[in-house]
Amino acid sequence: MAKKLTITSLCWASLVLVFTNCLFVAAVRAEVGFRVGAATADITPELGVSLDGPISKNGPVTGIHDRLHARAIVFDDGQTRIAIVICDACMIGPDVVAAAKIAVHQRTGLRVDRMLIAATHTHAAVRATHIGTGTLDNKYHRQLAQRIADAIVEAEQNLRPARVGFGSFDKAEFLRCRRFLCKQGSVQPNPFGQSGERIKSVSGKSATVIEPAGPVDPQFSILSIEHSDGRSLAVLGNFSVHYCGGYQRGIVSADYFGHFARAMEMELTAGEGRSAFVGVMSNGTSGNTGSIERGGQNYRPFEWMQVSARILAAQAVQTIRRIEHREDVTLGMQESELEIAIRRPDGDRLKWAEDILADQNTNRVHPHRWTRVYANETVQLSKYAATMKIKLQAIRIGPIVIAAAPCEVFAETGLAIKKASNHSHTFTIELANGYGGYLPPPEQHELGGYETWPARSSFLEVQAEPKIRDELLRLLQRVEGP
Ligand SMILES: [Zn+2]
C-alpha cells in the first residue's frame, strides 16, 4: 500500500513538474513573440547540367546570365514555426523536396509538414524532376536539396522580432491567357492524330482565334515583413505569370523572379546593410497565363524580364509604404495528401506510341510536329502508378493565408480560391512540394490544347482540379486564426 502511494505521489509530482514546465515554456514563448528570419542560398548549376525539356530543348548549361537562389523566410509565433522557400528552378520533384525537408528536420528539428518549398518556374533553370538522368543532373539534384536546407537553417538562425503586413495592386496589362479559343475546325490535329480541339496555345496571332480561353488573375500580392524598428526584413511577392522569357539556349537565368528580388533589395535597403534583407518572388496560378511585353519595342534577350521586374518592384515599394504592419501575429499551417488518378495510356494508345517510336523512317510525316515527342511521353506515362499522392498546404500568417499545390495551376482556379476563401487576404503558390503537372479545369480539358495532352507534364485525372480546389479551401478553413 505504501509503495503504491509512493508511486502515485511520484506520478503527481511529475505531472505537476511537466505542467509547470509547460507553463514556463509557454511564458517564454509568449515573451519571445512573433519573429521572422530570412536567408538565401546559391543554387546555380555548373556548366553541363541539363536544362532540357522534351519540347523547349533548352540543352545543357553553357553560361550564366544571372545566378539562381533558394530564398527562405521562416516565421515563428512562439508556438508554431513555418518555413517558406522559393527556388529559381523550373520545377522540383518530390524526392528533392523530401530530401531538403528531412535534412532541415535533422539539423534543427523543424517539422517536415511545416515547410513549403516551391519553384518559381523560370524556364532558364533546371527541371529537377529526373527528366535529365545524367550523373551531373543527379549530383545537382542532391546539391539543390542541401542548399534549400541551408537556406532554411540559416533563416531559422536569423529569427528576429518582426511585424507583417499585406498589400496588393492589379497589373493585368502584363498578363494574357496563353490559351486561345479558335473557330470550330480550325485547329490542326493534336500529336495523337485526334481532330476537333478548340485551343491554340501560346501563339495568339492566328485569324481563327476567337478570344482568350480563360481569365487572368491580375493581383500582385505583397507579404511585407519588417523589423520591430521599421526596417525592411523581407518581402514575399506573388504574381500569376508563367515567366517573362527572352532566353538564349543553354543560358541560366532566374527570369523576372530573381530580378524582382534584387530590385526590392536595392529599393528597400539602400545604405542599411543589404545582407540582412531578402526579397522573394513566388508564382501564383499561371499554368495558362503568359507575359505581355510592354513598351512597343523589341527587347533584347533577357531585357524584358529586367524591365518588368523594375516596374513591378517600384509599384511594390509604393504599396509597401502604405502597409500597416502588425506584430500581434499568430501562425497556422495545414497539410494533406489527396490521392489522384493518373491518365495512363490504354492499350491502344500505348501500341500507337510504340509503333511510332519503332518506325525508323525519319521522313515520315506525322499528324503533328510533336507526335514522336508525345509517343515517347505515352510510353513514359505507362510506367506511372495508377494514382499519385498530391501534397496540398494552407498557411496562415496573421490575417494572410496562402494555398499551395504542386501543379501548374490555371488562373481560374486561383481566382476561385481567392473568391471562396474565408480570409481577408489570400494568395496561392503553385509548383510547391513536388510536381503534379498542368492542372486544367475539366471544361478546359474539353477544349483540348497543349496543357491537356497526356505527358509527364500533364498526367492527373480530368477531375483533379475540382478535387484539389475543394481540398485547398477545406485546408484554408482549418487554418482559421484565434
Ligand atoms: Zn512552363
Side-chain angles (χ1 to χ4, degrees), residues 182-404:
C182 298
K183 290 177 187 160
Q184 196 88 48
S186 70
V187 176
Q188 71 167 131
N190 69 17
F192 311 101
Q194 297 166 315
S195 302
E197 294 195 347
R198 297 292 303 276
I199 296 291
K200 283 182 183 165
S201 289
V202 183
S203 167
K205 294 204 173 107
S206 163
T208 63
V209 167
I210 300 168
E211 60 184 0
V216 299
D217 178 356
Q219 188 178 33
F220 191 105
S221 299
I222 302 158
L223 173 59
S224 170
I225 302 133
E226 58 178 37
H227 293 277
S228 41
D229 63 5
R231 283 178 302 125
S232 283
L233 192 158
V235 166
L236 172 61
N238 182 267
F239 194 40
S240 295
V241 64
H242 209 84
Y243 59 84
C244 284
Y247 309 137
Q248 285 174 318
R249 189 174 157 80
I251 306 295
V252 163
S253 169
D255 204 298
Y256 93 100
F257 308 97
H259 292 286
F260 174 85
R262 270 185 288 276
M264 294 306 287
E265 197 177 309
M266 299 297 286
E267 294 267 3
L268 291 174
T269 63
E272 290 182 13
R274 284 180 185 162
S275 60
F277 175 86
V278 174
V280 189
M281 188 64 217
S282 59
N283 203 330
T285 48
S286 67
N288 58 344
T289 307
S291 160
I292 297 180
E293 293 184 359
R294 306 293 297 183
Q297 50 189 299
N298 287 325
Y299 290 99
R300 297 187 306 276
F302 303 102
E303 190 180 1
W304 168 243
M305 64 172 73
Q306 296 177 67
V307 172
S308 64
R310 279 198 297 273
I311 295 169
L312 292 167
Q315 204 160 343
V317 169
Q318 282 176 10
T319 307
I320 289 169
R321 303 262 186 248
R322 293 193 296 269
I323 290 177
E324 227 172 89
H325 295 78
R326 52 192 277 189
E327 55 198 5
D328 59 328
V329 173
T330 60
L331 302 171
M333 182 160 182
Q334 292 286 330
E335 179 177 295
S336 71
E337 284 188 328
L338 264 192
E339 187 126 8
I340 303 281
I342 304 290
R343 276 182 294 144
R344 291 195 302 184
D346 60 17
D348 287 351
R349 175 63 65 83
L350 188 57
K351 167 98 176 47
W352 165 87
E354 286 167 347
D355 288 350
I356 297 274
L357 294 173
D359 184 357
Q360 300 298 316
N361 182 357
T362 51
N363 294 322
R364 177 95 55 216
V365 178
H366 290 300
H368 192 286
R369 67 193 163 105
W370 293 341
T371 288
R372 276 189 73 87
V373 170
Y374 275 84
N376 180 52
E377 289 298 314
T378 301
V379 172
Q380 298 298 332
L381 213 46
S382 72
K383 299 172 190 164
Y384 276 38
T387 63
M388 179 183 278
K389 284 202 165 82
I390 294 293
K391 189 166 286 184
L392 303 169
Q393 291 178 338
I395 292 177
R396 184 182 58 76
I397 301 156
I400 306 144
V401 293
I402 301 167

Side-chain angles (χ1 to χ4, degrees), residues 90-91 121 123 127 178 242-243 408 438 450:
C90 188
M91 53 197 68
H121 204 52
H123 275 218
R127 297 176 173 223
R178 60 179 214 169
H242 209 84
Y243 59 84
E408 297 195 56
Y438 282 104
Y450 158 71

Side-chain angles (χ1 to χ4, degrees), residues 69 95 98 148 167:
H69 293 88
D95 54 334
I148 292 169

Side-chain angles (χ1 to χ4, degrees), residues 402-423:
I402 301 167
C407 304
E408 297 195 56
V409 186
F410 278 32
E412 40 268 65
T413 306
L415 289 165
I417 288 172
K418 287 179 177 181
K419 193 171 173 203
S421 168
N422 53 331
H423 300 269

Side-chain angles (χ1 to χ4, degrees), residues 25 34 68 75 89 92 106 138 159 193 209 211-212 225 258 298 323 350 399 416 439 451 462:
V25 170
F34 179 64
L68 310 182
F75 303 86
I92 305 176
Q106 286 170 346
N138 292 332
L159 283 169
V209 167
E211 60 184 0
I225 302 133
N298 287 325
I323 290 177
L350 188 57
L439 187 65
E451 294 84 356
V462 170

